[in-house]
């Protein structure tokens, strides 16, 4: 009996070694995202696992919130090490340091990285422009027009915080200020400008800065506006997509999925599977927005009610509207002298081939 038992144990040990060996042979990729509901597709895929299967693919947890197997037709094809990142600019930095293989981040942050010749490309759109402007409770404004009037009437500069210098919210805000004829600066000593823009260096600092009246207002992506208003930190006065110039931001891209060129060349099949999974989960989010909003908000520790009010729309293809929006960002950033390298004075059509690699989305 003992001999039989010993043989069984030995067999199990050999099987475990074989399984471990197989897992070790799987490609390992580092995937980064930010604690924002803009990245709900990845969070939903991690949270729901096999319950959210797209074309035979899902994410199987190995260490919840840290490590997952990308599954296809019942078999693992890759191990994904998950990295939580503070901002899009940090995402670009990690790409440059080869500490990240795939990243979800704002399109402007990825553009900034490509301008600096970091070897990355956008492999899929993710979400259209979201978020908004929240003013301190001390500011007597309930709408954007009222806030613009308040700024113009103020005897001293009004301070507006943002989470990342290369994020879509600050780019849209700057354009809106220009449209209103409001001058702005990033120099806190400049008392002639009507607005002082304050880099709060990360999403986690937005609400504390607003609550402590370090700034008069903050611009940020979802779920910041709903969260700030829900916590009584300020008043949500308007969505980014509704800021002036009228209609300009309606279909603008926000976050995208990017990958290092080395991964694009070395693991195209895995990247295609990952992009396909994110596109499918994004479609599920659009079709069941309330449930997706709840999943995303709970994942980052927010009340369900905030998720229920989500206004996010996820995109599954590089549409003409998306490309027009990308071109608009390039135009605004070049007007501001932001680009110094590969994207300097370029239109989207001129640099589409270095910005985007569409082969991984829907097989195109």
């Amino acid at each position: 009996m003992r001999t039989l038992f010993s043989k069984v144990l030995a067999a199990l040990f050999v099987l475990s070694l074989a399984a471990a060996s197989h897992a070790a042979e799987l490609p390992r990729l580092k995937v980064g995202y930010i604690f924002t509901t803009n990245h709900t597709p990845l969070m939903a895929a991690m949270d729901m696992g096999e319950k959210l299967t797209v074309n035979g693919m899902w994410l199987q947890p190995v260490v919840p919130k840290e490590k997952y197997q990308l599954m296809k037709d019942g078999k693992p094809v890759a191990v994904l090490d998950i990295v939580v990142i503070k901002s899009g600019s940090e995402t670009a930095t990690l790409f440059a340091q080869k500490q990240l293989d795939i990243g979800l981040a704002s399109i402007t942050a990825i553009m900034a990285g490509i301008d600096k010749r970091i070897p990355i490309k956008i492999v899929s759109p993710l979400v259209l422009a979201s978020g908004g402007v929240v003013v301190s409770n001390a500011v007597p404004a309930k709408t954007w027009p009222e806030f613009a009037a308040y700024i113009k009437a103020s005897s001293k500069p009004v301070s507006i915080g943002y989470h990342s210098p290369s994020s879509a919210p600050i780019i849209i805000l700057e354009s809106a200020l220009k449209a209103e004829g409001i001058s702005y600066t990033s120099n806190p000593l400049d008392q002639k400008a009507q607005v002082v823009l304050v880099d709060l260096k990360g999403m986690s600092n937005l609400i504390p800065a607003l609550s402590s009246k370090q700034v008069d207002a903050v611009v940020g992506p979802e779920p910041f506006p709903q969260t700030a208003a829900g916590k009584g930190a300020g008043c949500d006065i308007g969505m980014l997509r509704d800021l002036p110039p009228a209609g300009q931001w309606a279909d603008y891209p926000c976050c995208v999925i990017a990958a290092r060129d080395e991964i694009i060349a070395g693991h195209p099949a895995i990247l295609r599977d990952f992009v396909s999974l994110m596109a499918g989960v994004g479609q599920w989010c659009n079709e069941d927005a309330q449930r997706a909003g709840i999943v995303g908000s709970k994942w980052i520790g927010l009340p369900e009610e905030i998720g229920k009010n989500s206004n996010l729309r996820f995109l599954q293809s590089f549409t003409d509207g998306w490309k027009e929006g990308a071109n608009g960002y390039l135009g605004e950033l070049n007007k501001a002298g932001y680009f110094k390298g590969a994207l300097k004075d370029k239109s989207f059509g001129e640099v589409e081939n270095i910005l985007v690699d569409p082969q991984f989305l829907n097989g195109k």
Side-chain angles (χ1 to χ4, degrees), residues 19-354:
S21 176
H22 177 66
E25 293 171 1
L26 291 173
R28 297 189 66 157
L29 303 181
K30 291 183 179 179
V31 179
Y33 76 108
I34 302 167
F35 257 31
T36 166
T37 49
N38 278 340
H39 299 176
T40 292
L42 177 58
M43 295 186 289
M46 290 190 290
D47 181 71
M48 298 179 68
E50 194 172 359
K51 295 178 182 177
L52 193 49
T53 299
V54 175
N55 297 326
M57 293 177 291
W58 74 90
L59 294 185
Q60 180 69 35
V62 178
V63 180
K65 296 193 175 185
E66 295 181 14
K67 185 180 299 183
Y68 293 79
Q69 286 183 332
L70 175 59
M71 305 294 292
K72 184 176 184 180
D73 300 327
K75 297 179 180 179
V77 296
V79 175
L80 307 181
D81 293 311
I82 307 300
V83 181
V84 179
I85 304 173
K86 293 180 181 178
S87 67
S89 56
E90 184 181 4
T91 300
T93 299
L94 291 174
F95 271 134
Q97 297 171 345
K98 295 187 177 183
Q99 295 182 29
L100 195 65
D101 298 315
I102 302 171
L104 282 61
S106 69
I107 184 174
T108 48
I110 299 303
M111 284 179 169
I114 292 172
D115 180 65
K116 295 175 182 176
R117 304 191 188 280
I118 296 173
I120 54 177
K121 285 187 176 63
I122 298 168
V123 294
S124 175
L126 185 64
V127 65
L128 293 180
S130 68
V133 181
V134 180
V135 300
S136 163
N137 292 320
V139 175
K142 302 295 182 184
T143 65
W144 171 262
E146 290 178 358
F147 184 48
Y150 171 81
I151 293 171
K152 293 175 182 178
S154 178
S155 60
K156 61 180 182 179
V158 173
S159 57
I160 304 178
Y162 59 93
H163 75 287
S164 172
S166 57
S167 65
I170 187 59
I171 301 304
I172 292 176
L173 175 70
E174 289 181 6
S175 179
L177 293 174
K178 288 178 184 176
E180 296 283 5
I182 295 172
S183 61
Y184 61 89
T185 181
S186 295
N187 181 2
L189 300 179
D190 185 353
Q191 294 297 303
K192 294 181 179 180
Q194 294 168 291
V195 167
V196 173
L197 301 176
V198 182
D199 184 357
L200 296 175
K201 301 186 185 302
M203 289 281 293
S204 62
N205 298 321
L206 297 186
I207 292 178
L210 192 64
S211 299
S212 64
K213 296 182 174 57
Q214 176 186 339
V215 293
D216 300 305
V218 174
V219 61
E222 289 203 18
F224 160 72
Q226 299 94 324
T227 306
K231 291 185 175 182
C235 177
D236 182 358
I237 65 168
M239 297 177 63
L240 293 176
R241 66 181 63 150
D242 296 326
L243 293 185
Q248 180 168 330
W249 309 108
D251 290 321
Y252 261 58
C254 185
C255 288
V256 297
I257 302 174
R260 288 195 299 116
D261 288 355
E262 186 177 339
I263 301 304
I264 290 173
H267 298 286
I270 293 171
L271 190 53
R272 182 171 289 106
D273 290 342
F274 179 81
V275 167
S276 178
L277 176 61
M278 290 299 99
V281 177
Q283 183 60 42
W284 172 83
C285 291
N286 291 341
E287 294 169 355
D288 198 344
Q290 189 172 92
R291 186 181 180 191
I294 291 172
V295 169
S297 61
K298 287 180 67 177
W299 185 268
I300 59 178
L302 298 176
E304 286 188 7
E305 288 302 316
I306 290 175
K308 288 180 181 179
N309 296 324
S310 172
N311 293 301
L312 296 173
R313 183 157 68 92
F314 298 94
L315 200 61
Q316 289 76 48
S317 62
F318 291 106
T319 63
D320 290 341
W322 187 93
K323 293 179 180 180
E324 289 173 10
N327 187 58
Y329 280 133
L330 284 171
E332 291 296 327
L333 289 166
N334 270 311
K335 284 179 186 176
Y338 191 82
F339 293 137
K340 308 294 184 183
L343 305 184
K344 181 177 172 58
D345 299 328
K346 301 294 185 181
S347 67
F348 181 78
E350 291 175 306
V351 292
E352 182 174 358
N353 64 323
I354 68 170

